[in-house]
Coordinates of all heavy atoms in Angstrom, one line a residue:
M1 N 163.8 114.3 -135.4 CA 163.7 115.0 -134.1 C 162.7 114.3 -133.2 O 161.6 113.9 -133.7 CB 163.2 116.5 -134.3 CG 162.9 117.1 -133.0 SD 162.2 118.8 -133.0 CE 162.2 119.4 -134.7
N2 N 163.0 114.1 -132.0 CA 162.1 113.5 -131.0 C 161.5 114.6 -130.2 O 162.2 115.5 -129.7 CB 162.9 112.5 -130.1 CG 163.3 111.3 -130.8 OD1 162.6 110.8 -131.7 ND2 164.5 110.8 -130.4
I3 N 160.2 114.5 -130.0 CA 159.5 115.4 -129.1 C 158.8 114.7 -128.0 O 158.1 113.7 -128.2 CB 158.4 116.2 -130.0 CG1 159.1 117.0 -131.1 CG2 157.6 117.1 -129.1 CD1 158.1 117.6 -132.0
H4 N 159.1 115.1 -126.8 CA 158.5 114.5 -125.6 C 157.6 115.6 -125.0 O 158.1 116.7 -124.6 CB 159.5 114.1 -124.6 CG 160.4 113.0 -125.1 ND1 160.1 111.7 -125.2 CD2 161.6 113.1 -125.7 CE1 161.0 111.0 -125.7 NE2 162.0 111.8 -126.1
L5 N 156.3 115.4 -125.0 CA 155.4 116.4 -124.5 C 154.6 115.8 -123.3 O 154.0 114.7 -123.5 CB 154.5 116.8 -125.6 CG 153.3 117.8 -125.3 CD1 153.9 119.1 -124.8 CD2 152.4 117.9 -126.4
H6 N 154.5 116.5 -122.2 CA 153.8 116.0 -121.1 C 152.8 117.1 -120.7 O 153.3 118.3 -120.4 CB 154.7 115.7 -119.9 CG 154.0 115.4 -118.7 ND1 153.3 114.1 -118.5 CD2 153.7 116.1 -117.6 CE1 152.8 114.2 -117.3 NE2 153.0 115.3 -116.7
I7 N 151.6 116.9 -120.7 CA 150.6 117.8 -120.2 C 150.1 117.4 -118.9 O 149.4 116.3 -118.8 CB 149.4 118.0 -121.2 CG1 149.9 118.5 -122.6 CG2 148.3 118.9 -120.7 CD1 148.9 118.5 -123.7
D8 N 150.5 118.1 -117.9 CA 150.1 117.7 -116.5 C 148.6 117.9 -116.2 O 148.0 117.1 -115.6 CB 151.0 118.4 -115.5 CG 150.7 118.0 -114.1 OD1 150.8 116.8 -113.8 OD2 150.5 118.9 -113.2
R9 N 148.2 119.1 -116.7 CA 146.8 119.5 -116.4 C 146.3 120.3 -117.5 O 147.0 121.2 -118.0 CB 146.8 120.2 -115.0 CG 145.4 120.6 -114.6 CD 145.4 121.2 -113.2 NE 146.6 121.9 -113.0 CZ 146.9 122.6 -111.9 NH1 146.0 122.6 -110.9 NH2 148.1 123.2 -111.7
L10 N 145.0 120.1 -117.9 CA 144.4 120.9 -118.9 C 143.1 121.4 -118.3 O 142.2 120.7 -117.8 CB 144.0 120.0 -120.1 CG 143.4 120.6 -121.3 CD1 144.3 121.6 -121.9 CD2 142.9 119.6 -122.3
I11 N 143.0 122.7 -118.2 CA 141.9 123.4 -117.6 C 141.0 123.9 -118.7 O 141.4 124.7 -119.5 CB 142.3 124.5 -116.6 CG1 143.2 123.9 -115.5 CG2 141.1 125.3 -116.1 CD1 143.9 125.0 -114.7
L12 N 139.8 123.5 -118.7 CA 138.8 123.9 -119.7 C 137.7 124.7 -119.0 O 136.7 124.1 -118.4 CB 138.2 122.7 -120.4 CG 139.2 121.8 -121.1 CD1 138.6 120.5 -121.6 CD2 140.0 122.5 -122.2
D13 N 137.8 126.0 -119.0 CA 136.8 126.8 -118.3 C 135.5 126.8 -119.1 O 135.5 127.0 -120.4 CB 137.3 128.3 -118.2 CG 138.3 128.4 -117.1 OD1 138.3 127.6 -116.1 OD2 139.2 129.3 -117.3
G14 N 134.4 126.6 -118.5 CA 133.1 126.7 -119.1 C 132.6 125.5 -119.9 O 131.7 125.6 -120.7
I15 N 133.4 124.4 -119.8 CA 133.0 123.2 -120.6 C 132.7 122.1 -119.6 O 133.4 121.8 -118.7 CB 134.2 122.8 -121.5 CG1 134.5 123.9 -122.5 CG2 133.9 121.5 -122.2 CD1 135.7 123.6 -123.3
S16 N 131.5 121.5 -119.8 CA 131.1 120.4 -119.0 C 131.0 119.1 -119.8 O 130.4 119.1 -120.8 CB 129.7 120.7 -118.4 OG 129.2 119.7 -117.6
L17 N 131.8 118.1 -119.3 CA 131.8 116.8 -120.0 C 131.4 115.7 -119.0 O 131.8 115.8 -117.9 CB 133.2 116.5 -120.6 CG 133.7 117.4 -121.7 CD1 135.1 117.0 -122.0 CD2 132.8 117.2 -122.9
D18 N 130.7 114.8 -119.5 CA 130.4 113.6 -118.7 C 131.7 112.8 -118.6 O 132.6 112.9 -119.4 CB 129.3 112.7 -119.3 CG 128.0 113.4 -119.4 OD1 127.7 114.3 -118.5 OD2 127.2 113.1 -120.3
S19 N 131.8 111.9 -117.5 CA 133.0 111.2 -117.3 C 133.3 110.2 -118.5 O 134.5 110.0 -118.8 CB 132.9 110.4 -116.0 OG 131.8 109.5 -116.0
H20 N 132.3 109.7 -119.2 CA 132.6 108.8 -120.3 C 133.0 109.6 -121.6 O 133.6 109.0 -122.5 CB 131.3 108.0 -120.7 CG 130.2 108.8 -121.3 ND1 129.3 109.5 -120.6 CD2 129.9 108.9 -122.6 CE1 128.5 110.1 -121.4 NE2 128.8 109.7 -122.6
Q21 N 132.9 110.9 -121.6 CA 133.3 111.7 -122.7 C 134.8 112.2 -122.6 O 135.4 112.5 -123.6 CB 132.4 113.0 -122.8 CG 131.0 112.7 -123.3 CD 130.2 114.0 -123.3 OE1 130.2 114.8 -122.4 NE2 129.5 114.1 -124.4
R22 N 135.3 112.2 -121.4 CA 136.7 112.7 -121.2 C 137.7 111.9 -121.9 O 138.6 112.4 -122.5 CB 136.9 112.8 -119.7 CG 136.1 113.9 -119.0 CD 136.4 113.9 -117.5 NE 135.4 114.9 -116.9 CZ 135.0 114.7 -115.7 NH1 135.3 113.8 -114.9 NH2 134.1 115.7 -115.3
P23 N 137.6 110.5 -121.9 CA 138.6 109.7 -122.6 C 138.6 110.0 -124.1 O 139.6 110.0 -124.8 CB 138.3 108.3 -122.3 CG 137.5 108.3 -121.0 CD 136.8 109.6 -121.1
L24 N 137.4 110.3 -124.7 CA 137.3 110.6 -126.1 C 138.0 111.9 -126.4 O 138.7 112.0 -127.4 CB 135.8 110.6 -126.5 CG 135.0 109.3 -126.4 CD1 133.5 109.6 -126.6 CD2 135.5 108.3 -127.3
L25 N 137.8 112.9 -125.6 CA 138.4 114.2 -125.8 C 139.9 114.0 -125.7 O 140.7 114.5 -126.5 CB 137.9 115.2 -124.7 CG 138.5 116.6 -124.9 CD1 137.4 117.6 -124.6 CD2 139.7 116.8 -123.9
Q26 N 140.4 113.3 -124.6 CA 141.8 113.1 -124.5 C 142.5 112.4 -125.6 O 143.5 112.9 -126.1 CB 142.1 112.3 -123.2 CG 143.5 112.1 -122.9 CD 143.8 111.3 -121.6 OE1 142.8 111.0 -120.9 NE2 145.0 110.9 -121.4
Q27 N 141.8 111.4 -126.1 CA 142.4 110.6 -127.3 C 142.4 111.5 -128.5 O 143.4 111.5 -129.3 CB 141.6 109.4 -127.6 CG 142.2 108.6 -128.7 CD 141.4 107.3 -129.0 OE1 140.3 107.1 -128.5 NE2 142.0 106.4 -129.7
A28 N 141.4 112.3 -128.8 CA 141.3 113.1 -129.9 C 142.4 114.2 -129.9 O 143.0 114.5 -130.8 CB 139.9 113.7 -130.1
L29 N 142.6 114.8 -128.7 CA 143.6 115.8 -128.5 C 145.0 115.2 -128.7 O 145.8 115.8 -129.4 CB 143.5 116.3 -127.0 CG 144.3 117.5 -126.7 CD1 143.7 118.3 -125.6 CD2 145.7 117.2 -126.3
Q30 N 145.2 114.0 -128.2 CA 146.6 113.4 -128.4 C 146.8 113.1 -129.9 O 147.9 113.4 -130.4 CB 146.7 112.1 -127.6 CG 146.8 112.4 -126.1 CD 146.7 111.1 -125.3 OE1 146.2 110.0 -125.7 NE2 147.2 111.1 -124.1
V31 N 145.9 112.5 -130.5 CA 146.0 112.2 -131.9 C 146.3 113.4 -132.8 O 147.2 113.5 -133.6 CB 144.8 111.3 -132.5 CG1 144.9 111.2 -134.0 CG2 144.8 110.0 -131.8
E32 N 145.5 114.4 -132.6 CA 145.6 115.6 -133.4 C 146.9 116.4 -133.1 O 147.5 116.9 -134.0 CB 144.4 116.6 -133.2 CG 144.4 117.8 -134.0 CD 144.2 117.6 -135.5 OE1 144.0 116.5 -136.0 OE2 144.3 118.6 -136.3
L33 N 147.2 116.5 -131.9 CA 148.5 117.2 -131.5 C 149.7 116.4 -132.0 O 150.6 117.0 -132.6 CB 148.6 117.4 -130.0 CG 149.6 118.3 -129.5 CD1 149.5 119.7 -130.2 CD2 149.5 118.5 -128.0
A34 N 149.7 115.1 -132.0 CA 150.8 114.3 -132.5 C 150.9 114.5 -134.0 O 152.0 114.7 -134.6 CB 150.6 112.8 -132.2
R35 N 149.7 114.6 -134.7 CA 149.7 114.8 -136.2 C 150.3 116.2 -136.5 O 151.2 116.3 -137.4 CB 148.3 114.7 -136.7 CG 148.2 114.9 -138.2 CD 146.7 114.9 -138.7 NE 146.1 116.2 -138.3 CZ 146.3 117.4 -139.0 NH1 147.2 117.4 -140.0 NH2 145.7 118.5 -138.6
L36 N 149.9 117.2 -135.7 CA 150.4 118.5 -136.0 C 151.9 118.6 -135.7 O 152.7 119.3 -136.5 CB 149.7 119.6 -135.2 CG 148.2 119.7 -135.6 CD1 147.5 120.5 -134.5 CD2 148.1 120.4 -136.9
L37 N 152.4 118.0 -134.6 CA 153.8 118.1 -134.3 C 154.7 117.3 -135.2 O 155.8 117.6 -135.4 CB 154.0 117.6 -132.8 CG 153.5 118.5 -131.7 CD1 153.5 117.8 -130.4 CD2 154.3 119.8 -131.7
A38 N 154.1 116.3 -135.9 CA 154.8 115.4 -136.8 C 155.3 116.2 -138.0 O 156.2 115.8 -138.7 CB 154.0 114.2 -137.2
N39 N 154.6 117.3 -138.3 CA 155.0 118.1 -139.5 C 156.3 118.8 -139.4 O 156.9 119.3 -140.3 CB 153.9 119.0 -139.9 CG 153.8 120.2 -139.0 OD1 154.7 120.6 -138.3 ND2 152.7 120.9 -139.1
G40 N 156.9 118.8 -138.1 CA 158.2 119.4 -137.9 C 158.3 120.9 -137.8 O 159.3 121.4 -137.7
N41 N 157.2 121.6 -137.8 CA 157.2 123.0 -137.8 C 157.0 123.6 -136.4 O 156.1 124.3 -136.0 CB 156.0 123.6 -138.7 CG 156.3 123.4 -140.1 OD1 157.4 123.3 -140.5 ND2 155.2 123.4 -140.9
L42 N 158.0 123.2 -135.5 CA 158.0 123.6 -134.2 C 158.6 125.0 -134.1 O 159.7 125.3 -134.7 CB 158.8 122.6 -133.3 CG 158.6 122.7 -131.8 CD1 157.1 122.5 -131.4 CD2 159.5 121.6 -131.1
N43 N 158.1 125.9 -133.3 CA 158.7 127.2 -133.1 C 160.1 127.0 -132.6 O 160.4 126.3 -131.7 CB 157.8 128.0 -132.1 CG 158.3 129.4 -131.8 OD1 159.5 129.7 -131.7 ND2 157.3 130.3 -131.8
P44 N 161.1 127.8 -133.2 CA 162.5 127.6 -132.9 C 162.7 127.8 -131.4 O 163.7 127.3 -130.8 CB 163.2 128.7 -133.7 CG 162.3 128.9 -134.8 CD 160.9 128.7 -134.3
D45 N 161.9 128.6 -130.7 CA 162.1 128.8 -129.3 C 161.9 127.6 -128.5 O 162.4 127.5 -127.3 CB 161.1 129.9 -128.8 CG 161.3 131.3 -129.3 OD1 162.5 131.5 -129.8 OD2 160.4 132.1 -129.3
F46 N 161.3 126.6 -129.0 CA 161.0 125.3 -128.3 C 161.8 124.1 -128.7 O 161.6 123.0 -128.3 CB 159.5 124.9 -128.5 CG 158.6 126.0 -127.9 CD1 157.9 126.9 -128.7 CD2 158.4 126.0 -126.5 CE1 157.1 127.8 -128.2 CE2 157.5 127.0 -126.0 CZ 156.9 127.9 -126.8
T47 N 162.8 124.4 -129.6 CA 163.6 123.2 -130.1 C 164.9 122.9 -129.2 O 165.6 122.0 -129.5 CB 164.1 123.5 -131.5 OG1 164.9 124.7 -131.5 CG2 163.0 123.6 -132.5
G48 N 165.1 123.7 -128.1 CA 166.3 123.5 -127.3 C 166.1 122.7 -126.1 O 166.9 122.7 -125.2
G49 N 165.0 122.0 -126.0 CA 164.8 121.1 -124.8 C 164.4 122.0 -123.6 O 165.1 122.0 -122.6
I50 N 163.3 122.7 -123.6 CA 162.9 123.5 -122.5 C 161.6 123.0 -121.9 O 161.0 122.1 -122.4 CB 162.6 125.0 -123.0 CG1 161.4 125.0 -124.0 CG2 163.9 125.6 -123.6 CD1 160.9 126.4 -124.3
A51 N 161.4 123.4 -120.7 CA 160.1 123.1 -120.0 C 159.3 124.4 -119.9 O 159.8 125.4 -119.6 CB 160.4 122.6 -118.6
I52 N 158.0 124.2 -120.2 CA 157.1 125.4 -120.1 C 156.2 125.0 -118.9 O 155.5 124.0 -118.9 CB 156.3 125.5 -121.4 CG1 157.2 125.7 -122.6 CG2 155.3 126.7 -121.3 CD1 156.5 125.6 -123.9
H53 N 156.1 125.9 -118.0 CA 155.3 125.7 -116.8 C 153.8 126.0 -117.1 O 152.9 125.5 -116.4 CB 155.8 126.4 -115.6 CG 157.2 125.9 -115.2 ND1 157.4 124.7 -114.6 CD2 158.4 126.5 -115.4 CE1 158.7 124.6 -114.4 NE2 159.3 125.6 -114.9
R54 N 153.6 126.9 -118.0 CA 152.2 127.3 -118.3 C 152.2 127.8 -119.8 O 153.0 128.6 -120.2 CB 151.8 128.4 -117.4 CG 150.3 128.8 -117.6 CD 150.0 129.8 -116.6 NE 148.5 130.1 -116.7 CZ 147.9 131.1 -116.0 NH1 148.6 131.8 -115.2 NH2 146.7 131.3 -116.2
L55 N 151.2 127.3 -120.5 CA 151.0 127.7 -121.9 C 149.6 128.2 -122.0 O 148.7 127.4 -121.7 CB 151.3 126.6 -122.9 CG 151.0 126.9 -124.4 CD1 151.9 128.0 -124.9 CD2 151.0 125.7 -125.2
V56 N 149.3 129.4 -122.3 CA 148.0 129.9 -122.4 C 147.7 129.9 -123.9 O 148.3 130.6 -124.7 CB 147.8 131.3 -121.9 CG1 146.4 131.9 -122.1 CG2 148.2 131.4 -120.4
A57 N 146.8 129.0 -124.3 CA 146.5 128.8 -125.7 C 145.4 129.9 -126.1 O 144.7 130.4 -125.3 CB 145.9 127.4 -126.0
P58 N 145.4 130.2 -127.4 CA 144.3 131.1 -127.9 C 142.9 130.5 -127.6 O 142.8 129.3 -127.5 CB 144.6 131.2 -129.4 CG 145.8 130.4 -129.7 CD 146.2 129.7 -128.5
A59 N 142.0 131.4 -127.5 CA 140.6 130.9 -127.2 C 140.1 130.2 -128.5 O 140.5 130.5 -129.6 CB 139.7 132.2 -126.9
I60 N 139.2 129.3 -128.2 CA 138.5 128.6 -129.3 C 137.1 128.9 -129.3 O 136.5 129.3 -128.3 CB 138.7 127.0 -129.2 CG1 138.1 126.5 -127.9 CG2 140.2 126.6 -129.3 CD1 138.2 125.0 -127.8
Q61 N 136.5 128.9 -130.5 CA 135.1 129.2 -130.7 C 134.3 127.9 -130.5 O 134.4 126.9 -131.3 CB 134.8 129.8 -132.0 CG 133.4 130.3 -132.2 CD 133.2 131.6 -131.4 OE1 134.1 132.3 -131.1 NE2 132.0 131.8 -130.9
L62 N 133.5 127.8 -129.4 CA 132.8 126.5 -129.2 C 131.5 126.5 -130.0 O 130.8 127.5 -130.1 CB 132.4 126.4 -127.7 CG 133.6 126.2 -126.7 CD1 133.1 126.1 -125.3 CD2 134.3 124.9 -127.1
M63 N 131.2 125.4 -130.5 CA 129.9 125.1 -131.2 C 128.9 124.8 -130.1 O 129.2 124.5 -128.9 CB 130.0 124.0 -132.1 CG 131.0 124.2 -133.2 SD 131.1 122.7 -134.3 CE 131.5 121.4 -133.2
E64 N 127.6 124.9 -130.4 CA 126.6 124.5 -129.5 C 126.6 123.0 -129.3 O 126.7 122.3 -130.3 CB 125.2 125.0 -130.0 CG 124.1 124.9 -129.0 CD 122.9 125.6 -129.5 OE1 122.9 126.6 -130.1 OE2 121.8 125.0 -129.2
N65 N 126.6 122.5 -128.1 CA 126.7 121.1 -127.8 C 128.0 120.5 -128.4 O 127.8 119.6 -129.3 CB 125.5 120.4 -128.2 CG 124.2 120.9 -127.5 OD1 124.3 121.1 -126.3 ND2 123.2 121.0 -128.2
P66 N 129.2 120.9 -128.1 CA 130.4 120.4 -128.7 C 130.5 118.9 -128.4 O 130.3 118.4 -127.3 CB 131.5 121.2 -128.1 CG 131.0 121.7 -126.8 CD 129.5 121.8 -127.0
Q67 N 131.0 118.1 -129.4 CA 131.2 116.7 -129.3 C 132.7 116.6 -128.8 O 133.6 117.4 -129.2 CB 131.0 116.0 -130.6 CG 129.6 116.1 -131.1 CD 128.6 115.5 -130.1 OE1 128.8 114.4 -129.6 NE2 127.6 116.3 -129.7
P68 N 133.0 115.6 -127.9 CA 134.3 115.5 -127.4 C 135.4 115.3 -128.4 O 136.5 115.9 -128.2 CB 134.2 114.3 -126.4 CG 132.9 113.6 -126.7 CD 132.1 114.6 -127.4
V69 N 135.2 114.6 -129.5 CA 136.3 114.4 -130.5 C 136.6 115.7 -131.2 O 137.7 116.1 -131.3 CB 135.9 113.3 -131.5 CG1 136.8 113.3 -132.6 CG2 135.8 112.0 -130.8
Q70 N 135.5 116.4 -131.6 CA 135.8 117.7 -132.2 C 136.4 118.7 -131.3 O 137.3 119.5 -131.6 CB 134.4 118.3 -132.7 CG 133.8 117.5 -133.9 CD 132.4 117.8 -134.1 OE1 131.7 118.2 -133.2 NE2 132.0 117.6 -135.4
L71 N 136.0 118.7 -130.0 CA 136.5 119.6 -129.0 C 138.0 119.3 -128.8 O 138.8 120.2 -128.7 CB 135.7 119.5 -127.7 CG 136.1 120.4 -126.6 CD1 136.0 121.9 -127.0 CD2 135.2 120.2 -125.4
G72 N 138.4 118.0 -128.7 CA 139.7 117.6 -128.5 C 140.6 118.1 -129.7 O 141.7 118.5 -129.5
Q73 N 140.1 118.0 -130.9 CA 140.8 118.5 -132.1 C 141.0 120.0 -132.0 O 142.1 120.5 -132.3 CB 140.1 118.0 -133.3 CG 140.2 116.6 -133.6 CD 139.2 116.1 -134.7 OE1 138.3 116.8 -135.0 NE2 139.5 114.9 -135.2
Q74 N 140.0 120.7 -131.6 CA 140.1 122.2 -131.5 C 141.1 122.6 -130.5 O 141.9 123.5 -130.7 CB 138.7 122.8 -131.1 CG 137.8 122.9 -132.3 CD 136.5 123.6 -131.8 OE1 135.7 123.1 -131.0 NE2 136.4 124.9 -132.1
I75 N 141.1 121.9 -129.3 CA 142.0 122.2 -128.3 C 143.5 121.9 -128.7 O 144.4 122.7 -128.5 CB 141.7 121.4 -127.0 CG1 140.4 121.9 -126.4 CG2 142.8 121.5 -126.0 CD1 139.8 121.0 -125.4
A76 N 143.7 120.8 -129.4 CA 145.0 120.5 -129.9 C 145.5 121.6 -130.9 O 146.7 122.0 -130.8 CB 145.0 119.1 -130.6
R77 N 144.6 122.0 -131.8 CA 145.0 123.1 -132.7 C 145.4 124.4 -132.0 O 146.3 125.1 -132.3 CB 144.0 123.3 -133.7 CG 143.8 122.1 -134.7 CD 142.7 122.4 -135.7 NE 142.4 121.1 -136.3 CZ 141.1 120.6 -136.3 NH1 140.1 121.3 -135.8 NH2 140.9 119.4 -136.8
A78 N 144.6 124.7 -130.9 CA 144.9 125.9 -130.1 C 146.3 125.7 -129.4 O 147.1 126.7 -129.4 CB 143.8 126.1 -129.1
L79 N 146.5 124.6 -128.8 CA 147.8 124.3 -128.1 C 149.0 124.4 -129.1 O 150.0 125.1 -128.9 CB 147.8 123.0 -127.5 CG 146.9 122.8 -126.3 CD1 146.9 121.3 -125.8 CD2 147.4 123.7 -125.1
Y80 N 148.8 123.8 -130.3 CA 149.8 123.9 -131.3 C 150.0 125.3 -131.8 O 151.2 125.7 -132.1 CB 149.4 123.0 -132.5 CG 150.5 123.0 -133.6 CD1 151.7 122.2 -133.3 CD2 150.4 123.7 -134.8 CE1 152.7 122.2 -134.3 CE2 151.4 123.6 -135.7 CZ 152.5 122.9 -135.5 OH 153.5 122.8 -136.4
G81 N 149.0 126.1 -131.8 CA 149.1 127.6 -132.1 C 150.1 128.3 -131.2 O 150.7 129.3 -131.5
G82 N 150.2 127.7 -130.0 CA 151.2 128.3 -129.0 C 152.6 127.9 -129.1 O 153.5 128.5 -128.6
I83 N 152.8 126.7 -129.8 CA 154.2 126.2 -129.9 C 154.6 125.9 -131.3 O 155.8 125.7 -131.6 CB 154.3 124.8 -129.1 CG1 153.3 123.8 -129.6 CG2 154.1 125.1 -127.6 CD1 153.5 122.4 -129.0
G84 N 153.7 126.0 -132.3 CA 154.0 125.7 -133.7 C 154.6 126.9 -134.3 O 154.6 128.1 -133.8
D85 N 155.1 126.7 -135.5 CA 155.7 127.8 -136.3 C 155.1 127.8 -137.7 O 155.8 127.5 -138.7 CB 157.3 127.6 -136.4 CG 158.0 128.9 -136.9 OD1 157.5 130.0 -136.7 OD2 159.0 128.7 -137.5
E86 N 153.8 128.1 -137.7 CA 153.2 128.2 -139.0 C 152.8 129.6 -139.4 O 152.6 130.4 -138.6 CB 151.9 127.3 -139.0 CG 152.3 125.8 -139.0 CD 151.1 124.9 -139.2 OE1 150.1 125.1 -138.7 OE2 151.3 124.0 -140.0

């Protein structure tokens, strides 16, 4: 199965990152989300080639002074929680 995912905008309320941290978060999010999607457990509602205009992911518990890589992984898991079938 081929999956094409495009995230136009990611809004992170209450999180402040320096400009040099954003690429680290983005890469970590992409890698973790790709890993999770590769397992093939996509919610059947999403297997028919649909477009979602807005996905509200479950809240994540932030650690004090979150690092961009860990934060990217947490966000990916939350997003997957909205589209995965686990």
Side-chain angles (χ1 to χ4, degrees):
M1 171 186 352
N2 290 326
I3 299 173
H4 299 278
L5 177 66
H6 173 78
I7 299 173
D8 184 50
R9 183 175 29 179
L10 182 64
I11 300 171
L12 305 173
D13 288 329
I15 297 174
S16 178
L17 291 175
D18 294 332
S19 60
H20 72 279
Q21 292 177 313
R22 292 179 187 148
L24 296 172
L25 182 140
Q26 181 180 353
Q27 182 179 15
L29 189 153
Q30 289 174 338
V31 168
E32 181 67 4
L33 193 53
R35 184 187 71 77
L36 292 167
L37 290 170
N39 74 18
N41 289 334
L42 195 61
N43 184 313
D45 294 340
F46 297 101
T47 59
I50 65 169
I52 302 169
H53 297 287
R54 183 177 186 186
L55 175 68
V56 179
I60 58 174
Q61 190 69 32
L62 291 178
M63 301 178 305
E64 195 171 319
N65 299 319
Q67 298 302 308
V69 171
Q70 294 165 330
L71 186 56
Q73 292 168 340
Q74 280 186 287
I75 294 168
R77 290 181 199 120
L79 290 172
Y80 184 74
I83 61 174
D85 192 31
E86 289 191 315

